[in-house]
Amino acid sequence: SIEPFFNFELIDEIVVVVPREDVEFVRESINRFNLNIKVKKIVSGGKRRQDSVYNGLKNINDNIDYILIHDGVRPFINVNDIKRIVDEVKKSKAVTFCVPVRDTMIENDGDYIKKFVNRDDIMLVQTPQAFEAGLLKDAYRKAYEDMFYGTDDSSLVVRTGKNVKILTGSYNNIKITNREDLLLAETLLKKR
C-alpha cells in the first residue's frame, strides 16, 4: 500500500498510522524495504478511524500544502491514480475516488425492505482522498469541537460546507476486510 506513494515523485513525506502493537513490526518492515527515505514517522492509531487519521495529521510537517489519506487495506492503488488525484486537488482543494454501485440498493426496516434507492445516485467512496492541508485540518478541528465522528475524511470536509470533487475510481482498488477479500486480492496479484 505504501509503495505507489513512495514511487510518486511529488510525495515528499509519508506518515504511517498503525495499531500500537504493530508499530515496531511496521518500522522494521519499512527499514527492510528501504522505504524510510519518505516514511518520516510511524505513529499509533486511535480508537476509531477518525482518531487514527488525526494522530497522523498531528505528525506531519506544517509546510505541507496537500495531504493524501489512504487506507492501508487498499493495496491495489497505482501511481497513475495517485497522479490523477494530486493533479485534481491542486484545482479542487478536496477530492475523493468513488465507484458507481453495481447492485440494487434498498433501505431496510428491520428484516424487511422499506424502499428501493436509486443506485444512479449512490457511489462507493474509496481512498486515497486528497485535500488542501488547511482545509482538512479545519474540518478535523470542527468535527472534534462538535463531537462529530464520520467514517470518512471527505465527510468531515463536506459537513463544513466545502465541496469534495469525485474522481472515478477503480473496482480493483478493493478494501481488504474479510477472507473473501483476500481471495480476490490473490487473484488481482496474479494479474500483475
Side-chain angles (χ1 to χ4, degrees), residues 111-157:
D111 294 335
Y112 298 94
I113 293 174
K114 182 176 179 180
K115 72 177 187 176
F116 285 84
V117 179
N118 184 351
R119 70 178 168 205
D120 295 337
D121 297 332
I122 307 290
M123 297 187 87
L124 302 175
V125 179
Q126 299 179 325
T127 63
Q129 297 180 351
F131 306 93
E132 187 179 67
L135 180 73
L136 182 64
K137 289 177 180 181
D138 286 346
Y140 264 82
R141 181 188 47 73
K142 179 83 171 118
Y144 280 108
E145 282 175 5
D146 297 343
M147 296 176 57
F148 174 83
Y149 275 88
T151 58
D152 173 85
D153 308 296
S154 61
S155 71
L156 302 186
V157 171

